[in-house]
Amino acid sequence: MVVFNRPVRLNAMNPSSVPLLTQAIRPLADDPETRVVVLTGAGRGFCTGMDLSSLDEMAPRELDTTIAWMQDLHGFSVELSRLPQPTIAAVNGPAIGGGLGIALGCDLRIAGPGARFGATFARMATGPDAGLSHTLPSAIGHAAAIDLLLSCSVVGPEAALQLGLVSRVADDALAAAIELAERWAAIPGHASRAIKAILLRARAADIETTLLDIEPRTQADLICHPDFFTNAKEWLDSHH
């Protein structure tokens, strides 16, 4: 489990803390014992993006330098997108700006009663970051995404569920996420990773490529794994 632990600032990030987050998440990708990754926040917040009280840490106003600075800030989101394990965001409080981007970078989101979701960049005359320009319209569609971005609306858990920002609402987001993670972790690790990978590849492909290349290759690899025969036999025995 990865916990954003700056509760006095609703887990807002400052530029100097992002590399620490990136270093914390990077080793998980190569850990065969980690089958599911849950992200949540300490205290009352999930993550409220960049801490604007850290303006003195912001990059100088020179274009090339600022581009490189932003790319470094995206290091955590890049590593999150590269995790082969399924990921769940337990959104226990506000997920605003880059925090919403991090939540949407996970495969599934569960919202608690205190969850709030907003992409309020336009208030500061900036645009989306943390991958939101890709993940937000993918989750809720172009029209709803541009409305959320330009209206700077902040929505609660039920509205987020209706929009498609989250998959479910629970009284205790973290407990619900852990329960789901335990169910997912019961699946052989190589199979759950393959399922995540095939969904990501198929999303960017046409149907013919999916049918003739992506699915056959993935399924053949899984069928040739010894776990297929063991699990298939166990399933048959349990249903007879």
Side-chain angles (χ1 to χ4, degrees), residues 95-187:
I96 307 296
L100 176 60
I102 290 170
L104 284 172
C106 294
D107 296 305
L108 184 143
R109 289 152 297 285
I110 300 175
R116 297 292 182 270
F117 302 86
T120 55
F121 303 93
R123 287 180 183 169
M124 297 166 288
T126 63
D129 58 22
L132 273 171
S133 56
H134 177 86
T135 58
L136 187 60
S138 178
I140 67 176
H142 173 82
I146 198 166
D147 183 26
L148 199 67
L149 284 161
L150 295 183
S151 66
C152 297
S153 299
V154 176
V155 301
E158 295 298 335
L161 183 63
Q162 292 179 355
L163 277 171
L165 286 171
V166 301
S167 297
R168 64 186 71 176
V169 175
D171 292 335
D172 187 328
L174 181 57
I178 290 173
E179 180 183 0
L180 182 61
E182 289 173 345
R183 288 171 54 192
W184 286 4
I187 303 298

Coordinates of all heavy atoms in Angstrom, one line a residue, residues 95-187:
A95 N -9.5 14.8 -3.8 CA -8.5 14.4 -4.9 C -8.7 15.5 -5.9 O -9.6 15.5 -6.8 CB -8.9 13.1 -5.5
I96 N -7.8 16.5 -5.8 CA -7.9 17.8 -6.6 C -6.7 18.0 -7.4 O -5.6 17.7 -7.0 CB -8.1 19.0 -5.6 CG1 -9.2 18.8 -4.6 CG2 -8.3 20.3 -6.4 CD1 -10.6 18.6 -5.3
G97 N -6.9 18.5 -8.6 CA -5.8 18.8 -9.5 C -4.9 17.6 -9.8 O -5.5 16.5 -10.3
G98 N -3.6 17.6 -9.5 CA -2.8 16.5 -9.7 C -3.2 15.3 -8.9 O -2.9 14.1 -9.3
G99 N -3.8 15.5 -7.8 CA -4.3 14.4 -7.0 C -5.4 13.6 -7.7 O -5.5 12.4 -7.6
L100 N -6.3 14.3 -8.5 CA -7.3 13.6 -9.3 C -6.5 12.9 -10.4 O -6.9 11.8 -10.8 CB -8.2 14.7 -9.9 CG -9.3 14.1 -10.9 CD1 -10.1 13.1 -10.3 CD2 -10.1 15.2 -11.5
G101 N -5.5 13.5 -11.0 CA -4.7 12.8 -12.0 C -4.1 11.5 -11.5 O -4.1 10.5 -12.2
I102 N -3.6 11.5 -10.2 CA -3.1 10.3 -9.6 C -4.2 9.2 -9.4 O -4.0 8.0 -9.7 CB -2.4 10.6 -8.3 CG1 -1.1 11.4 -8.6 CG2 -2.0 9.3 -7.5 CD1 -0.4 12.0 -7.4
A103 N -5.3 9.7 -8.9 CA -6.4 8.7 -8.7 C -6.8 8.1 -10.1 O -7.1 6.9 -10.2 CB -7.6 9.4 -8.1
L104 N -6.9 8.9 -11.1 CA -7.3 8.4 -12.4 C -6.2 7.6 -13.1 O -6.5 6.9 -14.0 CB -7.8 9.5 -13.3 CG -9.1 10.1 -13.0 CD1 -9.4 11.4 -13.9 CD2 -10.2 9.1 -13.3
G105 N -5.0 7.7 -12.6 CA -3.9 6.9 -13.1 C -4.0 5.4 -12.6 O -3.3 4.6 -13.0
C106 N -4.9 5.2 -11.6 CA -5.1 3.8 -11.1 C -6.2 3.1 -11.9 O -7.0 3.8 -12.6 CB -5.6 3.9 -9.6 SG -4.3 4.5 -8.5
D107 N -6.2 1.8 -11.8 CA -7.1 1.1 -12.7 C -8.6 1.2 -12.2 O -9.5 1.1 -12.9 CB -6.7 -0.4 -12.7 CG -5.4 -0.6 -13.3 OD1 -5.2 -0.2 -14.5 OD2 -4.5 -1.2 -12.7
L108 N -8.7 1.4 -10.9 CA -10.1 1.5 -10.3 C -10.0 2.4 -9.1 O -9.0 2.5 -8.4 CB -10.5 0.1 -9.8 CG -11.9 -0.1 -9.3 CD1 -12.5 -1.4 -9.7 CD2 -11.9 0.0 -7.7
R109 N -11.1 3.2 -8.9 CA -11.2 4.1 -7.8 C -12.5 3.8 -6.9 O -13.5 3.6 -7.5 CB -11.3 5.5 -8.3 CG -10.0 6.0 -8.9 CD -10.2 7.1 -10.0 NE -11.0 6.6 -11.1 CZ -10.5 5.8 -12.1 NH1 -9.2 5.3 -12.0 NH2 -11.2 5.3 -13.0
I110 N -12.3 3.9 -5.6 CA -13.4 3.7 -4.6 C -13.4 5.0 -3.8 O -12.4 5.4 -3.3 CB -13.2 2.5 -3.7 CG1 -13.1 1.2 -4.6 CG2 -14.3 2.4 -2.7 CD1 -12.8 0.0 -3.8
A111 N -14.6 5.6 -3.7 CA -14.7 6.9 -3.0 C -15.4 6.7 -1.7 O -16.4 5.9 -1.6 CB -15.6 7.8 -3.9
G112 N -14.9 7.3 -0.7 CA -15.5 7.4 0.6 C -16.4 8.6 0.8 O -16.5 9.4 -0.1
P113 N -17.1 8.7 1.9 CA -18.0 9.8 2.1 C -17.4 11.2 2.0 O -18.0 12.2 1.5 CB -18.6 9.6 3.5 CG -18.3 8.1 3.8 CD -17.1 7.8 3.0
G114 N -16.1 11.3 2.4 CA -15.4 12.6 2.3 C -14.7 12.9 1.0 O -14.1 14.0 0.9
A115 N -14.9 12.0 0.0 CA -14.2 12.2 -1.2 C -14.7 13.4 -2.0 O -15.9 13.7 -2.0 CB -14.3 11.0 -2.1
R116 N -13.8 14.2 -2.6 CA -14.2 15.3 -3.5 C -13.2 15.2 -4.7 O -12.0 15.0 -4.5 CB -14.0 16.6 -2.8 CG -14.9 16.8 -1.6 CD -16.4 16.9 -2.0 NE -17.3 17.1 -0.8 CZ -17.8 16.1 -0.1 NH1 -17.6 14.9 -0.4 NH2 -18.6 16.4 0.9
F117 N -13.8 15.5 -5.9 CA -13.0 15.4 -7.1 C -13.1 16.7 -7.9 O -14.2 17.2 -8.1 CB -13.5 14.2 -7.9 CG -13.5 12.9 -7.2 CD1 -14.6 12.5 -6.4 CD2 -12.4 12.0 -7.4 CE1 -14.6 11.3 -5.7 CE2 -12.4 10.8 -6.7 CZ -13.5 10.4 -5.9
G118 N -11.9 17.2 -8.3 CA -11.9 18.5 -9.0 C -10.7 18.6 -9.8 O -9.6 18.2 -9.4
A119 N -10.8 19.2 -11.0 CA -9.7 19.6 -11.9 C -9.7 21.1 -12.0 O -10.2 21.6 -13.0 CB -9.8 18.9 -13.2
T120 N -9.2 21.8 -11.1 CA -9.4 23.2 -10.9 C -8.3 24.1 -11.5 O -8.1 25.2 -11.1 CB -9.6 23.6 -9.5 OG1 -8.5 23.1 -8.7 CG2 -10.9 22.9 -8.9
F121 N -7.6 23.5 -12.4 CA -6.4 24.2 -13.0 C -6.7 25.6 -13.6 O -5.9 26.5 -13.5 CB -5.7 23.3 -14.1 CG -5.3 21.9 -13.6 CD1 -6.2 20.9 -13.7 CD2 -4.1 21.7 -13.0 CE1 -5.9 19.6 -13.3 CE2 -3.7 20.5 -12.6 CZ -4.6 19.4 -12.7
A122 N -7.9 25.6 -14.3 CA -8.2 26.8 -15.0 C -8.3 28.1 -14.1 O -8.1 29.2 -14.6 CB -9.5 26.6 -15.8
R123 N -8.6 27.8 -12.8 CA -8.7 29.0 -11.9 C -7.4 29.7 -11.8 O -7.3 30.9 -11.5 CB -9.1 28.5 -10.5 CG -10.6 28.1 -10.4 CD -10.9 27.6 -9.0 NE -12.3 27.2 -8.9 CZ -12.7 26.5 -7.8 NH1 -11.9 26.2 -6.8 NH2 -14.0 26.1 -7.8
M124 N -6.3 29.0 -12.0 CA -4.9 29.5 -12.0 C -4.4 29.8 -13.4 O -3.2 30.0 -13.5 CB -4.0 28.6 -11.2 CG -4.4 28.5 -9.7 SD -3.6 27.1 -8.9 CE -4.4 25.7 -9.7
A125 N -5.3 29.7 -14.4 CA -4.9 29.9 -15.8 C -3.8 28.9 -16.2 O -2.9 29.2 -17.0 CB -4.3 31.3 -16.0
T126 N -4.0 27.6 -15.7 CA -3.1 26.5 -16.2 C -4.0 25.4 -16.7 O -5.2 25.5 -16.7 CB -2.2 26.0 -15.1 OG1 -3.0 25.4 -14.0 CG2 -1.3 27.1 -14.5
G127 N -3.4 24.4 -17.3 CA -4.1 23.3 -17.8 C -3.9 22.0 -17.1 O -3.1 22.0 -16.1
P128 N -4.5 20.9 -17.5 CA -4.3 19.6 -16.7 C -2.9 19.1 -16.8 O -2.2 19.2 -17.8 CB -5.4 18.7 -17.4 CG -5.5 19.3 -18.8 CD -5.3 20.8 -18.6
D129 N -2.6 18.4 -15.7 CA -1.3 17.6 -15.7 C -1.5 16.3 -15.0 O -2.7 15.9 -14.8 CB -0.2 18.5 -15.0 CG -0.5 18.9 -13.6 OD1 -1.3 18.3 -13.0 OD2 0.1 19.9 -13.2
A130 N -0.4 15.6 -14.6 CA -0.5 14.3 -14.0 C -1.3 13.3 -14.9 O -1.9 12.4 -14.4 CB -1.1 14.4 -12.6
G131 N -1.3 13.5 -16.2 CA -1.9 12.6 -17.1 C -3.4 12.8 -17.4 O -4.0 12.1 -18.1
L132 N -4.0 13.9 -16.7 CA -5.4 14.1 -16.8 C -5.9 14.3 -18.2 O -7.1 13.9 -18.5 CB -5.8 15.2 -15.9 CG -6.1 14.9 -14.5 CD1 -6.3 16.2 -13.6 CD2 -7.4 14.0 -14.4
S133 N -5.1 14.9 -19.1 CA -5.6 15.1 -20.5 C -5.8 13.8 -21.2 O -6.6 13.8 -22.2 CB -4.6 16.0 -21.2 OG -3.3 15.4 -21.2
H134 N -5.2 12.8 -20.7 CA -5.4 11.4 -21.3 C -6.5 10.6 -20.5 O -7.4 10.1 -21.1 CB -4.1 10.6 -21.3 CG -4.3 9.2 -21.8 ND1 -4.2 8.9 -23.1 CD2 -4.5 8.1 -21.1 CE1 -4.4 7.6 -23.3 NE2 -4.5 7.1 -22.1
T135 N -6.3 10.6 -19.2 CA -7.2 9.7 -18.4 C -8.6 10.3 -18.1 O -9.5 9.5 -18.0 CB -6.5 9.5 -17.0 OG1 -6.3 10.7 -16.3 CG2 -5.2 8.7 -17.2
L136 N -8.7 11.6 -18.0 CA -10.1 12.2 -17.7 C -11.1 11.9 -18.8 O -12.1 11.4 -18.6 CB -9.9 13.6 -17.4 CG -11.2 14.3 -16.9 CD1 -11.7 13.7 -15.6 CD2 -11.0 15.8 -16.6
P137 N -10.8 12.3 -20.1 CA -11.7 12.0 -21.2 C -11.9 10.5 -21.4 O -13.0 10.0 -21.8 CB -11.1 12.7 -22.4 CG -9.7 12.9 -22.1 CD -9.6 13.1 -20.6
S138 N -10.8 9.7 -21.1 CA -11.0 8.3 -21.2 C -12.0 7.7 -20.2 O -12.8 6.8 -20.5 CB -9.6 7.6 -21.0 OG -9.7 6.2 -21.1
A139 N -12.0 8.3 -19.0 CA -12.9 7.8 -18.0 C -14.4 8.4 -18.2 O -15.3 7.6 -18.0 CB -12.4 8.3 -16.6
I140 N -14.5 9.6 -18.6 CA -15.9 10.2 -18.5 C -16.3 10.8 -19.9 O -17.4 11.3 -20.0 CB -16.0 11.3 -17.4 CG1 -15.1 12.5 -17.7 CG2 -15.6 10.7 -16.1 CD1 -15.2 13.6 -16.7
G141 N -15.5 10.7 -20.9 CA -15.8 11.3 -22.2 C -15.3 12.7 -22.4 O -15.1 13.4 -21.4
H142 N -15.2 13.1 -23.6 CA -14.6 14.5 -23.9 C -15.5 15.6 -23.4 O -15.0 16.5 -22.7 CB -14.5 14.6 -25.4 CG -14.1 16.0 -25.9 ND1 -12.8 16.4 -25.8 CD2 -14.8 17.1 -26.3 CE1 -12.7 17.7 -26.2 NE2 -13.9 18.1 -26.5
A143 N -16.8 15.5 -23.6 CA -17.7 16.6 -23.2 C -17.7 16.8 -21.7 O -17.5 18.0 -21.2 CB -19.1 16.4 -23.7
A144 N -17.8 15.7 -20.9 CA -17.8 15.9 -19.5 C -16.5 16.3 -19.0 O -16.4 17.1 -18.0 CB -18.2 14.5 -18.8
A145 N -15.4 15.9 -19.6 CA -14.0 16.2 -19.2 C -13.8 17.7 -19.4 O -13.3 18.4 -18.5 CB -13.0 15.4 -20.0
I146 N -14.2 18.3 -20.6 CA -13.9 19.7 -20.8 C -14.8 20.6 -19.9 O -14.4 21.6 -19.4 CB -14.0 20.1 -22.3 CG1 -13.3 21.4 -22.5 CG2 -15.5 20.1 -22.7 CD1 -13.1 21.7 -24.0
D147 N -16.0 20.1 -19.6 CA -16.9 20.8 -18.7 C -16.3 20.8 -17.3 O -16.3 21.9 -16.7 CB -18.3 20.1 -18.7 CG -19.3 20.8 -17.8 OD1 -19.1 22.0 -17.6 OD2 -20.2 20.2 -17.3
L148 N -15.8 19.7 -16.8 CA -15.2 19.6 -15.5 C -14.0 20.6 -15.4 O -13.8 21.3 -14.4 CB -14.8 18.2 -15.2 CG -14.6 17.9 -13.7 CD1 -15.9 18.0 -12.9 CD2 -14.0 16.5 -13.5
L149 N -13.2 20.6 -16.5 CA -11.9 21.4 -16.5 C -12.2 22.9 -16.6 O -11.6 23.7 -15.9 CB -11.0 21.0 -17.7 CG -10.3 19.7 -17.5 CD1 -9.8 19.1 -18.8 CD2 -9.1 19.9 -16.5
L150 N -13.2 23.3 -17.4 CA -13.5 24.7 -17.6 C -14.4 25.3 -16.6 O -14.4 26.5 -16.3 CB -14.0 24.9 -19.0 CG -13.0 24.6 -20.1 CD1 -13.6 25.0 -21.5 CD2 -11.7 25.4 -20.0
S151 N -15.3 24.5 -16.0 CA -16.2 25.0 -14.9 C -15.5 24.9 -13.6 O -16.0 25.6 -12.6 CB -17.5 24.1 -14.9 OG -17.2 22.8 -14.5
C152 N -14.4 24.2 -13.5 CA -13.6 24.0 -12.2 C -14.5 23.4 -11.1 O -14.4 23.8 -9.9 CB -13.0 25.3 -11.8 SG -11.8 26.0 -12.9
S153 N -15.5 22.6 -11.5 CA -16.4 22.0 -10.5 C -15.7 21.1 -9.6 O -14.7 20.4 -10.1 CB -17.5 21.3 -11.3 OG -18.3 22.2 -12.1
V154 N -16.1 21.0 -8.4 CA -15.7 20.0 -7.4 C -16.9 19.1 -7.1 O -17.9 19.7 -6.6 CB -15.0 20.6 -6.2 CG1 -14.7 19.5 -5.2 CG2 -13.8 21.4 -6.6
V155 N -16.8 17.8 -7.3 CA -18.0 17.0 -7.1 C -17.7 16.0 -6.0 O -16.6 15.6 -5.7 CB -18.4 16.2 -8.4 CG1 -18.7 17.2 -9.6 CG2 -17.2 15.3 -8.9
G156 N -18.8 15.6 -5.4 CA -18.8 14.6 -4.3 C -18.8 13.2 -4.8 O -18.9 12.9 -6.0
P157 N -18.9 12.2 -3.9 CA -18.8 10.8 -4.3 C -19.9 10.3 -5.2 O -19.7 9.6 -6.2 CB -18.7 10.0 -3.0 CG -19.2 11.0 -2.0 CD -18.9 12.3 -2.5
E158 N -21.2 10.7 -4.9 CA -22.3 10.2 -5.7 C -22.2 10.8 -7.1 O -22.5 10.1 -8.1 CB -23.6 10.5 -5.1 CG -23.8 9.8 -3.7 CD -23.9 8.3 -3.9 OE1 -24.2 7.8 -5.0 OE2 -23.6 7.6 -2.9
A159 N -21.9 12.1 -7.3 CA -21.8 12.7 -8.6 C -20.6 12.1 -9.3 O -20.7 11.9 -10.6 CB -21.6 14.2 -8.4
A160 N -19.5 11.8 -8.6 CA -18.4 11.1 -9.3 C -18.7 9.8 -9.8 O -18.3 9.4 -10.9 CB -17.2 11.0 -8.3
L161 N -19.6 9.0 -9.1 CA -20.0 7.7 -9.5 C -20.9 7.9 -10.8 O -20.7 7.1 -11.7 CB -20.8 7.1 -8.4 CG -21.3 5.6 -8.7 CD1 -20.2 4.7 -8.9 CD2 -22.2 5.2 -7.5
Q162 N -21.8 8.8 -10.8 CA -22.6 9.0 -12.0 C -21.7 9.5 -13.2 O -22.0 9.0 -14.3 CB -23.6 10.1 -11.7 CG -24.7 9.7 -10.7 CD -25.7 10.8 -10.4 OE1 -25.6 11.9 -10.9 NE2 -26.7 10.4 -9.6
L163 N -20.7 10.3 -13.0 CA -19.9 10.7 -14.1 C -19.0 9.6 -14.6 O -18.6 9.6 -15.8 CB -19.0 11.8 -13.6 CG -19.5 13.2 -13.6 CD1 -18.6 14.2 -12.9 CD2 -19.8 13.7 -15.1
G164 N -18.6 8.6 -13.7 CA -17.7 7.6 -14.1 C -16.3 7.8 -13.6 O -15.4 7.1 -14.0
L165 N -16.2 8.8 -12.7 CA -14.8 9.0 -12.1 C -14.4 7.9 -11.2 O -13.3 7.6 -11.0 CB -14.8 10.4 -11.4 CG -14.8 11.6 -12.2 CD1 -15.0 12.9 -11.3 CD2 -13.5 11.8 -12.9
V166 N -15.4 7.3 -10.5 CA -15.2 6.2 -9.6 C -16.0 5.0 -10.0 O -17.1 5.1 -10.6 CB -15.4 6.6 -8.1 CG1 -14.6 7.8 -7.7 CG2 -16.9 6.9 -7.9
S167 N -15.6 3.8 -9.5 CA -16.4 2.6 -9.8 C -17.4 2.3 -8.7 O -18.4 1.6 -9.0 CB -15.4 1.4 -9.9 OG -14.5 1.6 -11.0
R168 N -17.1 2.8 -7.5 CA -18.1 2.5 -6.4 C -17.9 3.5 -5.3 O -16.8 4.1 -5.2 CB -17.9 1.1 -5.9 CG -16.6 0.8 -5.2 CD -16.4 -0.7 -4.9 NE -16.3 -1.5 -6.1 CZ -16.1 -2.9 -6.0 NH1 -16.0 -3.5 -4.8 NH2 -16.0 -3.6 -7.1
V169 N -18.9 3.6 -4.4 CA -18.8 4.4 -3.2 C -19.0 3.5 -2.0 O -19.8 2.6 -2.0 CB -19.9 5.5 -3.2 CG1 -20.0 6.3 -1.9 CG2 -19.8 6.4 -4.4
A170 N -18.2 3.7 -1.0 CA -18.2 2.9 0.2 C -18.1 3.7 1.4 O -17.5 4.8 1.4 CB -17.0 1.9 0.2
D171 N -18.6 3.2 2.5 CA -18.5 4.0 3.8 C -17.1 4.1 4.3 O -16.7 5.1 4.9 CB -19.4 3.3 4.9 CG -20.9 3.3 4.6 OD1 -21.3 4.3 4.0 OD2 -21.6 2.5 5.1
D172 N -16.3 3.1 4.0 CA -14.9 3.1 4.3 C -14.1 2.7 3.0 O -14.0 1.5 2.7 CB -14.6 2.1 5.4 CG -13.1 2.2 5.9 OD1 -12.2 2.5 5.1 OD2 -12.9 1.9 7.1
A173 N -13.6 3.7 2.3 CA -13.0 3.5 1.0 C -11.8 2.6 1.1 O -11.6 1.7 0.3 CB -12.5 4.8 0.4
L174 N -10.9 2.8 2.2 CA -9.7 2.0 2.3 C -10.1 0.5 2.6 O -9.5 -0.4 2.0 CB -8.8 2.5 3.4 CG -7.5 1.8 3.6 CD1 -6.7 1.7 2.3 CD2 -6.7 2.4 4.7
A175 N -11.0 0.3 3.5 CA -11.4 -1.1 3.8 C -12.0 -1.8 2.6 O -11.7 -3.0 2.3 CB -12.5 -1.1 5.0
A176 N -12.8 -1.1 1.8 CA -13.4 -1.7 0.6 C -12.3 -1.9 -0.4 O -12.3 -3.0 -1.1 CB -14.4 -0.7 0.0
A177 N -11.3 -1.1 -0.5 CA -10.2 -1.3 -1.4 C -9.3 -2.5 -1.0 O -8.9 -3.3 -1.9 CB -9.3 0.0 -1.5
I178 N -9.1 -2.6 0.3 CA -8.3 -3.7 0.7 C -9.0 -5.0 0.5 O -8.4 -6.1 0.1 CB -7.9 -3.6 2.2 CG1 -6.9 -2.4 2.4 CG2 -7.3 -4.8 2.8 CD1 -6.6 -2.0 3.8
E179 N -10.3 -5.0 0.7 CA -11.1 -6.3 0.5 C -11.0 -6.6 -1.0 O -10.9 -7.8 -1.3 CB -12.6 -6.0 0.9 CG -13.5 -7.2 0.7 CD -14.9 -7.0 1.1 OE1 -15.2 -5.9 1.5 OE2 -15.7 -7.9 0.9
L180 N -11.2 -5.7 -1.9 CA -11.1 -6.0 -3.3 C -9.7 -6.4 -3.7 O -9.5 -7.3 -4.5 CB -11.5 -4.7 -4.1 CG -11.5 -4.9 -5.6 CD1 -12.6 -5.9 -6.0 CD2 -11.9 -3.5 -6.2
A181 N -8.7 -5.8 -3.1 CA -7.3 -6.1 -3.4 C -7.0 -7.6 -3.0 O -6.3 -8.3 -3.7 CB -6.3 -5.2 -2.7
E182 N -7.6 -8.0 -1.9 CA -7.4 -9.4 -1.5 C -8.0 -10.4 -2.4 O -7.4 -11.4 -2.7 CB -7.9 -9.6 -0.1 CG -7.1 -8.8 1.0 CD -7.7 -8.9 2.4 OE1 -9.0 -9.2 2.5 OE2 -7.1 -8.6 3.4
R183 N -9.2 -10.0 -3.0 CA -9.8 -10.9 -4.0 C -9.0 -10.9 -5.2 O -8.8 -12.0 -5.8 CB -11.2 -10.3 -4.3 CG -12.2 -10.6 -3.2 CD -13.5 -9.8 -3.5 NE -14.1 -10.2 -4.8 CZ -15.1 -9.5 -5.3 NH1 -15.6 -8.4 -4.7 NH2 -15.5 -9.9 -6.5
W184 N -8.5 -9.8 -5.7 CA -7.6 -9.7 -6.9 C -6.3 -10.5 -6.7 O -5.8 -11.1 -7.6 CB -7.3 -8.3 -7.3 CG -8.5 -7.5 -7.9 CD1 -9.8 -8.0 -8.0 CD2 -8.5 -6.2 -8.4 NE1 -10.5 -7.0 -8.6 CE2 -9.8 -5.9 -8.8 CE3 -7.5 -5.2 -8.5 CZ2 -10.1 -4.7 -9.4 CZ3 -7.8 -4.0 -9.0 CH2 -9.1 -3.7 -9.5
A185 N -5.8 -10.4 -5.5 CA -4.5 -11.0 -5.2 C -4.6 -12.5 -5.2 O -3.6 -13.2 -5.2 CB -3.9 -10.5 -3.8
A186 N -5.8 -13.1 -5.1 CA -6.0 -14.5 -5.1 C -5.8 -15.1 -6.5 O -5.6 -16.3 -6.7 CB -7.4 -14.9 -4.6
I187 N -5.8 -14.2 -7.5 CA -5.6 -14.6 -8.9 C -4.0 -14.7 -9.1 O -3.3 -13.9 -8.5 CB -6.1 -13.5 -9.9 CG1 -7.6 -13.3 -9.7 CG2 -5.8 -13.9 -11.3 CD1 -8.4 -14.5 -9.9

